[in-house]
Amino acid sequence: MTTTTHKALHDLSVTELAAGLQNKQFSAVEAARHFLARAQAHQNLGAYVALNEDATLAQAQAADARLAAGTAGALEGVPIAHKDIFVTRNFPSTAGSRMLAGYQSPFDATVVTKLADAGAVTLGKLNCDEFAMGSSNENSAVAPVGFDAPAPVRNPWDTDRIPGGSSGGSAVAVAARLAPAVTGTDTGGSIRQPASFCGITGIKPTYGRASRYGMIAFASSLDQAGPMARSAEDCALLLSAMCGPDPDRDSTSLDVPAENFSAKLNNSIDGLRIGIPAEFFGDGLAPDVRAAVDAALKEYEKLGAKLVPISLPRTELSIPVYYIIAPAEASSNLSRFDGVKFGHRAKDYTDLVDMYKKTRAEGFGDEVKRRIMIGAYVLSHGYYDAYYLQAQKIRRMIADDFQNAFKNCDVIAGPVAPTVAWKLGDHGNDPLADYLADIFTLPGSLAGLPGMSVPAGFGEGGMPVGLQLIGNYFQEARLLNAAHRLQQATDFHLRRPEGF
């Protein structure tokens, strides 16, 4: 399947696909069939957990009709896929958990609706850590398409390595060209870290920019939807469609109008002040990651940006703060999964309490149980003040650190993770090793700031390395502009894993 540009459809960017569809170089049905075939051909990666060819092709036919009628949206006919944390009418929504096995939502999440309104065609649902809890995508309890049992998602750059999490299936789908763009969610780095590990671009907008309605909740004060694609240009297109107020259905949605994030992509970054936090470049940072990040920062200097040393003194406190607040919110949010109204219910039980216990014991995986127990503990009588309240106070201080830093810089840059993607099973039964991998993404999440990962080179084993860019509130356009200018000067975002 080629176009007049002599590129295969899976080699086209979102921007190129949208243009090709508008110019009638190929149809939305052709594009959908092409990507569905690729999803089937590369099932070994475990990226997709649900496909519905009939629903996808029906959406594509409707997109072709709008293209023919001249009423096309900005993403008309462009195939995308959704992380399995967003509820969807035409595909099961499981959040990677046995607790929701076979659950079919009667409505679509707001983010799914907004992208559909822009014309996007849904290819399927993508694998994720159970209830988005994890940094490796090894915690999914749902069998991927083509599998009979749950299986970890594999990184296409090295299928013996993890893709990152919790949006691992999303990152792999883009990196392996199984979808041109996808949705992800970021609670403590779950868009940025897998984007870094898989060599793609991903952005988490300011908390509240995108509606959380229909996103199966993990930690309500942290969860935020965002796009993942190959380039900043593509992410800008998707983010423009995804954002906007949703006050009737999401009380955390901000009353900030949707924005055209593509408008300022080509602005000059001459004089841009890039803050370099000393705490992001300490002993824990692997030399190969540091080398790639340093090289990317040198490219910025060539483009006229200025590097400014800054400090984020409470960076190391972000791990204990996050792993008190997020589990506390998770223990509250996940109390609704009790076997009464929907989801899994134990078969044999003696009374209501026994049903609750057995249902939750069977339905939740180890990592989810661990976080529920931590959360229940820190919220319990006698410990709330000692742990949860203290964590919230330090969270405010972490946010203040960023505001002090932004007095001296426009954006903040550093590594996304301390290392490249590790081997499957390497962290085994050591959840703390996974938690420590989030050290550089957690501070921005706790502060509710926009952040993104931009491909910046390669490290040990030829694995991708991402550069993290963090902006002040509502500065997504500035971040995307900085990322786009770097991508015009480098080609890391165009490189692909061998065989894909």
Side-chain angles (χ1 to χ4, degrees):
M1 184 75 63
T2 57
T3 71
T4 53
T5 57
H6 304 296
K7 276 186 179 179
L9 287 180
H10 58 270
D11 288 332
L12 298 176
S13 68
V14 172
T15 312
E16 289 170 331
L17 279 165
L21 285 157
Q22 296 274 5
N23 295 330
K24 311 290 192 295
Q25 293 176 341
F26 47 87
S27 70
V29 169
E30 284 177 285
R33 286 191 191 281
H34 182 84
F35 280 100
L36 287 171
R38 283 189 67 78
Q40 295 284 5
H42 297 289
Q43 291 178 358
N44 62 308
L45 296 174
Y48 279 91
V49 290
L51 296 170
N52 180 345
E53 187 171 331
D54 290 343
T56 299
L57 294 179
Q59 289 181 27
Q61 285 162 359
D64 279 331
R66 289 189 292 271
L67 285 160
T71 58
L75 296 169
E76 200 67 63
V78 174
I80 64 168
H82 294 292
K83 182 176 179 177
D84 194 26
I85 207 82
F86 295 99
V87 299
T88 44
R89 273 180 306 192
N90 296 316
F91 302 83
S93 304
T94 68
S97 179
R98 282 188 296 273
M99 187 60 89
L100 283 171
Y103 173 67
Q104 199 85 22
S105 171
F107 65 95
D108 285 331
T110 294
V111 161
V112 173
T113 300
K114 280 180 171 288
L115 287 165
D117 288 346
V121 171
T122 302
L123 291 167
K125 301 296 283 294
L126 297 162
N127 211 335
C128 62
D129 283 305
E130 186 177 3
F131 287 106
M133 298 181 192
S135 302
S136 65
N137 223 141
E138 293 173 290
N139 296 334
S140 176
V142 174
V145 172
F147 287 74
D148 296 325
V153 183
R154 296 177 179 272
N155 193 317
W157 292 91
D158 178 350
T159 52
D160 290 330
R161 293 183 189 250
I162 59 110
S166 62
S167 307
S170 296
V172 167
V174 175
R177 311 308 199 246
L178 311 184
V182 298
T183 55
T185 62
D186 193 307
T187 306
S190 290
I191 285 174
R192 291 161 288 164
Q193 187 243 38
S196 172
F197 286 175
C198 293
I200 66 165
T201 307
I203 181 166
K204 176 195 95 75
T206 302
Y207 177 80
R209 270 278 211 184
S211 174
R212 288 176 41 254
Y213 181 74
M215 184 197 302
I216 298 167
F218 160 20
S220 302
S221 74
L222 293 155
D223 298 342
Q224 190 59 192
M228 303 167 78
R230 299 211 292 269
S231 68
E233 184 179 32
D234 287 352
C235 282
L237 263 179
L238 268 87
L239 193 64
S240 300
M242 290 169 69
C243 289
D246 190 18
D248 295 337
R249 293 179 295 188
D250 175 13
S251 61
T252 61
S253 170
L254 297 170
D255 189 16
V256 178
E259 192 176 323
N260 177 8
F261 294 110
S262 303
K264 298 177 181 175
L265 282 180
N266 291 303
N267 286 9
S268 169
I269 58 167
D270 191 41
L272 183 76
R273 299 172 301 164
I274 300 178
I276 310 298
E279 293 79 7
F280 282 24
F281 292 86
D283 293 340
L285 184 61
D288 57 325
V289 175
R290 177 163 194 154
V293 169
D294 284 346
L297 294 173
K298 283 192 174 66
E299 286 293 336
Y300 272 123
E301 287 187 299
K302 288 183 200 169
L303 292 166
K306 295 181 172 64
L307 304 187
V308 181
I310 60 165
S311 178
L312 296 171
R314 295 178 182 88
T315 294
E316 65 178 28
L317 293 176
S318 62
I319 291 180
V321 167
Y322 178 85
Y323 284 102
I324 287 172
I325 293 173
E329 295 184 11
S331 73
S332 176
N333 278 326
L334 271 59
S335 64
R336 72 192 69 175
F337 300 105
D338 54 13
V340 175
K341 288 186 179 175
F342 56 83
H344 174 72
R345 179 186 292 183
K347 284 193 175 126
D348 302 311
Y349 50 87
T350 54
D351 56 25
L352 186 63
V353 173
D354 190 44
M355 187 199 76
Y356 286 160
K357 288 179 178 176
K358 285 179 177 169
T359 294
R360 291 166 71 80
E362 292 167 10
F364 291 136
D366 289 346
E367 183 60 29
V368 175
K369 288 175 184 170
R370 184 180 293 119
R371 298 198 195 194
I372 289 172
M373 289 169 70
I374 292 169
Y377 178 79
V378 301
L379 290 176
S380 61
H381 181 69
Y383 297 102
Y384 180 92
D385 289 354
Y387 294 108
Y388 184 73
L389 203 59
Q390 289 296 100
Q392 290 288 18
K393 288 176 181 176
I394 298 170
R395 180 183 192 173
R396 167 49 55 197
M397 294 175 185
I398 289 169
D400 290 343
D401 286 345
F402 277 104
Q403 292 311 306
N404 287 331
F406 282 125
K407 290 173 184 172
N408 302 309
C409 64
D410 303 309
V411 299
I412 293 169
V416 174
T419 65
V420 295
W422 54 90
K423 297 273 188 182
L424 286 160
D426 262 10
H427 289 178
N429 294 318
D430 181 11
L432 287 179
D434 274 6
Y435 300 171
L436 289 167
D438 297 335
I439 179 91
F440 302 135
T441 54
L442 291 178
S445 288
L446 288 164
L449 294 166
M452 66 185 297
S453 176
V454 189
F458 296 87
E460 174 256 327
M463 297 304 293
V465 174
L467 173 75
Q468 181 174 206
L469 297 174
I470 302 169
N472 210 342
Y473 302 112
F474 310 115
Q475 294 295 308
E476 291 86 357
R478 177 176 270 169
L479 288 184
L480 288 159
N481 166 228
H484 182 61
R485 296 313 298 248
L486 180 67
Q487 290 180 338
Q488 287 177 316
T490 61
D491 71 347
F492 300 123
H493 64 294
L494 299 176
R495 300 200 198 171
R496 64 167 69 207
E498 194 174 335
F500 297 97

